[in-house]
Amino acid sequence: MNLDCLLEIVDSKLIENQDRPLNPTEILIMRGIWKYWTYSQMAVEAGYSTGYFTNVAAPELFGRLSKVIGQRVTKKNCRMLLESYVIAQDALETTPLGTNLPESTSEVNQSEVKQKDNSPRYPSGSVPLDSKFYIERSPLEEQVYQEISKPGALIRVKAPREMGKTSLLLRIIDHANLLGYRTISLNLEQVEWGILNNLNQFLRWLCANSARLLQLQPNLDDYWDEDLGSKISSTLYFQDYLLESTDTPLVLALDEVNQIFEHPQVAKDFLPLLRSWYEEAKRLPIWQKLRLLVVHSTEIYVPLDLNQSPFNVGLPIQLDSFSEEKVQQLAQRYGLKWEDGEEIRQLMAMIGGHPALVHLALYHLSLGSISLSELLENIPNSSGIYHNHLQRHWAALKKQPELAQALDIILNTNEPVPLDPILSHKLSSMGLIKKSGSKVVAGCELYRQYFLSVFNNKGVK
């Protein structure tokens, strides 16, 4: 489960319990847990003492989380309990009509279940396949569906976080299944840090999980040869075992590939390996069965040799913001009667067409508990509905002061400004700016208001 989405759900539940949202230290603890960090590693990252995390910050966080989910939360069980809790909440919200309810359940309660089932779900993570809230990006989907049917295809889906990459991935895999293809879908967020940091362990993880999803015995030792090395061993494993085992095309979909970017030594071996599998299809028919689907965020940067990585071959798919027409379609699906388009223009003037930001705004507006004017007034605040989204960007900018300084210059003018190409690429990859010819402007008014306030209060080094 995507951690950023889970953090948004946790914040919403804390607020429902009349508690405050997670603060930056607590968010760091959560991210550390997801990366299997020790408290010492968290302390180094934050610049605090280990004792502060062990004796103060973590116990307070776990106490608050325990009240939310009704079970005692510890560092060891935090991830498991929170993910189970969110899944259980989703199941409650989507209980099908006709499900047997306790005899004491009244007709009024059954009416409440029906109303809940028909109401919008809190937007978090990918949009389910059967959801009416998925907005097609035609003709992009058609282009991808055509490409996945080509022998030896490689599709690269990239965008900043929360732009809909995994939602598109689900639909590509579903389309491949409808074509009768075998599919392997792996999310690299699920790989432990120690495995990601070791090429041999990671390739064994990749091969073993691929076999598991194809309902095959792993049989790794039959193909692994220390003298040949893990790259050749994994190649032979796919060629002589996995691809030989199927008469139909095989789709290998890797989501959150950016996770491996944080391990440069492994990335420098693994990414060219993917490219080599793509190139093998040009000379060996068996590799034409393999269709590679690589999905990654554009917000992490490591020095990669573009001539050896898979990121300059195959079909590139860049996910962009929603158009005004797409936002109008989504507003209608949320039940909002915005006929003249004025509300759409007001909303997009603040947040642009960023898919996750649009979904979250429309969700809150569809509940009827807040008006559009109130929403637009409050969302740039640190306690608004975009708290986690904005905090994530601020944390990234603090680690790269040169980006913060460049963004500060951009935000302090209403005109497009020239910017160093490298800085422009990085800020654009984060979604914080937009390119206007050879110059750049702020990504949206939300970022302008929020970061100007942060820079004025905390300064930019």
Side-chain angles (χ1 to χ4, degrees):
M1 178 176 294
N2 183 281
L3 177 58
D4 289 318
C5 297
L6 188 143
L7 290 174
E8 290 186 2
I9 295 172
V10 169
D11 267 353
S12 69
K13 294 298 180 182
L14 287 169
I15 293 171
E16 285 180 14
N17 288 359
Q18 298 184 332
D19 199 350
R20 63 171 175 79
L22 297 172
N23 61 36
T25 302
E26 291 169 332
I27 292 173
L28 174 61
I29 293 173
M30 295 285 283
R31 294 195 184 282
I33 290 172
W34 255 247
K35 293 183 177 181
Y36 303 94
W37 283 358
T38 63
Y39 284 130
S40 297
Q41 290 174 299
M42 298 180 198
V44 170
E45 181 74 12
Y48 290 100
S49 68
T50 303
Y52 172 74
F53 280 87
T54 305
N55 302 319
V56 181
E60 180 180 348
L61 169 63
F62 297 147
R64 297 171 65 215
L65 295 177
S66 298
K67 293 178 181 178
V68 168
I69 68 175
Q71 296 186 63
R72 182 173 178 268
V73 177
T74 65
K75 183 175 184 286
K76 186 175 182 180
N77 68 16
C78 179
R79 180 169 184 167
M80 178 192 69
L81 288 182
L82 283 178
E83 290 184 338
S84 299
Y85 172 75
V86 170
I87 292 171
Q89 291 296 304
D90 283 347
L92 285 174
E93 292 181 2
T94 57
T95 301
L97 297 180
T99 300
N100 291 332
L101 299 173
E103 292 182 2
S104 60
T105 303
S106 66
E107 293 182 0
V108 173
N109 287 337
Q110 292 186 32
S111 175
E112 290 175 352
V113 171
K114 180 177 181 180
Q115 182 179 5
K116 179 179 288 187
D117 184 56
N118 290 332
S119 63
R121 293 168 56 184
Y122 184 85
S124 63
S126 58
V127 181
L129 284 173
D130 59 351
S131 173
K132 68 178 181 180
F133 297 107
Y134 179 75
I135 298 296
E136 293 187 353
R137 301 172 187 253
S138 181
L140 184 147
E141 282 93 348
E142 290 82 355
Q143 182 184 18
V144 172
Y145 296 159
Q146 290 179 10
E147 189 69 19
I148 203 70
S149 67
K150 298 177 181 178
L154 168 59
I155 300 171
R156 300 176 286 118
V157 181
K158 62 177 183 177
R161 294 181 184 179
E162 302 177 313
M163 291 292 288
K165 299 183 298 297
T166 303
S167 297
L168 176 61
L169 171 66
L170 291 177
R171 282 148 183 86
I172 300 173
I173 294 172
D174 184 59
H175 179 75
N177 287 328
L178 291 174
L179 293 175
Y181 296 176
R182 305 293 301 278
T183 57
I184 300 168
S185 180
L186 298 171
N187 187 325
L188 298 196
E189 277 194 331
Q190 298 176 345
V191 190
E192 296 178 11
W193 188 91
I195 293 176
L196 276 176
N197 204 41
N198 182 291
L199 180 66
N200 184 64
Q201 289 186 37
F202 173 66
L203 290 178
R204 288 179 69 91
W205 177 93
L206 173 67
C207 291
N209 277 279
S210 295
R212 174 180 59 84
L213 291 173
L214 294 174
Q215 298 182 326
L216 298 172
Q217 291 296 321
N219 297 339
L220 289 177
D221 293 336
D222 293 345
Y223 296 88
W224 231 258
D225 189 320
E226 291 184 1
D227 294 328
L228 294 177
S230 57
K231 292 172 68 174
I232 294 296
S233 295
S234 60
T235 299
L236 293 175
Y237 187 88
F238 265 82
Q239 175 180 295
D240 297 342
Y241 187 42
L242 300 186
L243 292 174
E244 280 285 358
S245 71
T246 178
D247 295 327
T248 65
L250 174 63
V251 177
L252 174 60
L254 301 176
D255 195 9
E256 298 290 350
V257 172
N258 44 278
Q259 292 295 317
I260 209 166
F261 294 176
E262 299 183 29
H263 305 268
Q265 293 306 314
V266 174
K268 288 177 182 178
D269 279 318
F270 176 63
L271 299 178
L273 177 64
L274 288 182
R275 180 188 174 113
S276 75
W277 292 355
Y278 167 73
E279 298 291 349
E280 286 290 86
K282 298 176 182 178
R283 68 182 192 91
L284 294 177
I286 191 170
W287 283 97
Q288 293 180 8
K289 294 182 186 178
L290 184 65
R291 318 296 159 87
L292 288 168
L293 180 56
V294 178
V295 180
H296 70 96
S297 169
T298 57
E299 296 183 28
I300 297 179
Y301 311 95
V302 295
L304 297 174
D305 184 348
L306 291 180
N307 292 321
Q308 294 183 346
S309 81
F311 299 109
N312 66 341
V313 294
L315 174 66
I317 297 296
Q318 174 75 50
L319 297 187
D320 297 317
S321 297
F322 287 156
S323 65
E324 185 174 317
E325 178 186 2
K326 298 296 185 185
V327 176
Q328 179 71 55
Q329 290 178 17
L330 192 56
Q332 292 174 352
R333 297 182 190 185
Y334 273 100
L336 298 172
K337 306 300 182 182
W338 290 353
E339 303 297 341
D340 61 4
E342 178 58 29
E343 295 91 344
I344 298 293
R345 287 187 285 274
Q346 290 181 38
L347 182 63
M348 294 188 70
M350 175 61 74
I351 62 175
H354 189 293
L357 303 186
V358 170
H359 269 285
L360 195 55
L362 296 180
Y363 166 78
H364 283 282
L365 291 169
S366 71
L367 298 180
S369 58
I370 189 171
S371 68
L372 177 60
S373 59
E374 292 171 331
L375 183 79
L376 295 176
E377 182 179 352
N378 293 326
I379 56 177
N381 300 331
S382 59
S383 59
I385 63 174
Y386 299 135
H387 167 76
N388 285 321
H389 177 86
L390 296 169
Q391 281 289 312
R392 174 170 59 79
H393 280 310
W394 173 230
L397 290 172
K398 285 195 295 184
K399 293 179 181 179
Q400 302 183 75
E402 72 282 3
L403 293 185
Q405 292 172 359
L407 182 61
D408 187 41
I409 294 172
I410 296 167
L411 300 181
N412 275 289
T413 178
N414 292 322
E415 299 294 328
V417 298
L419 188 64
D420 175 82
I422 294 177
L423 297 178
S424 173
H425 173 71
K426 290 185 176 183
L427 288 172
S428 176
S429 296
M430 295 172 69
L432 292 176
I433 65 172
K434 295 184 296 187
K435 294 182 179 179
S436 177
S438 61
K439 299 180 180 181
V440 298
V441 296
C444 63
E445 184 62 20
L446 168 66
Y447 295 152
R448 180 186 300 280
Q449 293 187 22
Y450 175 78
F451 286 111
L452 279 179
S453 174
V454 170
F455 292 158
N456 289 336
N457 291 333
K458 300 183 179 181
V460 181
K461 293 183 180 180

